[in-house]
Amino acid sequence: MWLSLWKKEWQESIPRFAVIMGILLLAYAAMIYFAFTGSGYSILLGFLSVGIHTVFLFLVWALSFHGEWKGKTQWTWLNIPASGWKLVTSKLAVGFTQFLISVVLLTAVGFWTLSLFGEHAQQVEENGIAVISDALRALYPLLLGLLMSVGITLGLGAVFTILMMRIIKPFGWAVGIAVWGVFVYAIMRFTQMPVYEAMFRHGQLFDAEAQLQEAVVGSATFQLEVEEGIYLFAGEIAFELLAITAVIALFSWLMDRFVQA
């Protein structure tokens, strides 16, 4: 049943995914063109593309869930003989798969654009761009993790707000935004507490400072530094996965008990 729901969602999501990718591909084509001309617009469009990816999951998940009611298919969708977790996770999985596909393309185009810009920009030393590119590659796991964390947080917030709109009327949207905001704030506060450090800051996977120093070693034209103490821990990833799992479990419970067609 879950796989059938996933396939159904994938087929229905193709038009909106095509629109988003079409916009991004136009931006990538412009990035490459401006990089060939040595224009700084290529870098500006690169930042814009990354910004779009921070709201990518927000868009695809919000459109997916809201689309059931907009298309008046919620009667069928909510009455499928499947539990809430299957309904929720099939939609989330499709959106996340599309997000990963888009991130892979963004990564490839982004590094290619940097290389082209370094070759053609007269006002910038090619070696300096090469060092920046090496630094970004070194920090990529950290940057990717941050992008995914922000994107998932915004995306799940959109889903929670939509579910609240279907449970509490007419101001469910306000309740959803307020509750999600408090939840995110509470999580951020918790991650700053000693108990969080004692429980989850274990199993170091990534040292940003060490990776960056190794990437730029020997460069006489560029000096980059990272604030000491920026690490990626296996325990922190486990905590985020637990938090996401708990949120999805909440969504599933709401779907089973309270969401109405």
Side-chain angles (χ1 to χ4, degrees), residues 57-225:
L57 289 173
F58 177 94
L59 291 173
V60 296
W61 285 346
L63 290 172
S64 176
F65 281 84
H66 179 65
E68 296 291 346
W69 280 268
K70 183 179 180 180
K72 300 187 184 302
T73 57
Q74 76 276 19
W75 303 98
T76 302
W77 182 59
L78 291 174
N79 287 286
I80 291 175
S83 57
W85 73 266
K86 292 181 180 179
L87 298 175
V88 170
T89 57
S90 60
K91 286 184 175 292
L92 297 181
V94 167
F96 191 70
T97 301
Q98 294 171 346
F99 171 75
L100 291 179
I101 293 172
S102 188
V103 166
V104 170
L105 183 59
L106 170 68
T107 301
V109 173
F111 282 116
W112 186 29
T113 299
L114 268 179
S115 176
L116 292 174
F117 181 73
E119 293 176 6
H120 296 89
Q122 297 179 355
Q123 72 275 22
V124 179
E125 290 188 20
E126 182 177 349
N127 186 52
I129 295 296
V131 172
I132 293 176
S133 182
D134 289 341
L136 289 175
R137 286 189 176 90
L139 296 177
Y140 185 77
L142 190 66
L143 298 175
L144 177 61
L146 180 60
L147 178 63
M148 292 178 64
S149 180
V150 173
I152 291 172
T153 299
L154 293 175
L156 292 179
V159 175
F160 179 71
T161 301
I162 289 172
L163 294 180
M164 288 295 100
M165 289 171 62
R166 304 304 163 188
I167 297 171
I168 303 173
K169 298 179 180 180
F171 299 111
W173 61 271
V175 174
I177 293 174
V179 172
W180 189 256
V182 171
F183 171 75
V184 172
Y185 176 76
I187 290 291
M188 293 176 63
R189 291 288 296 174
F190 176 65
T191 58
Q192 297 172 2
M193 293 181 178
V195 63
Y196 173 83
E197 182 172 357
M199 292 176 64
F200 298 105
R201 288 211 170 101
H202 300 287
Q204 180 178 312
L205 299 175
F206 186 83
D207 183 341
E209 184 179 21
Q211 292 294 324
L212 188 56
Q213 293 302 326
E214 182 178 350
V216 301
V217 65
S219 172
T221 61
F222 221 82
Q223 293 294 326
L224 294 174
E225 294 183 359

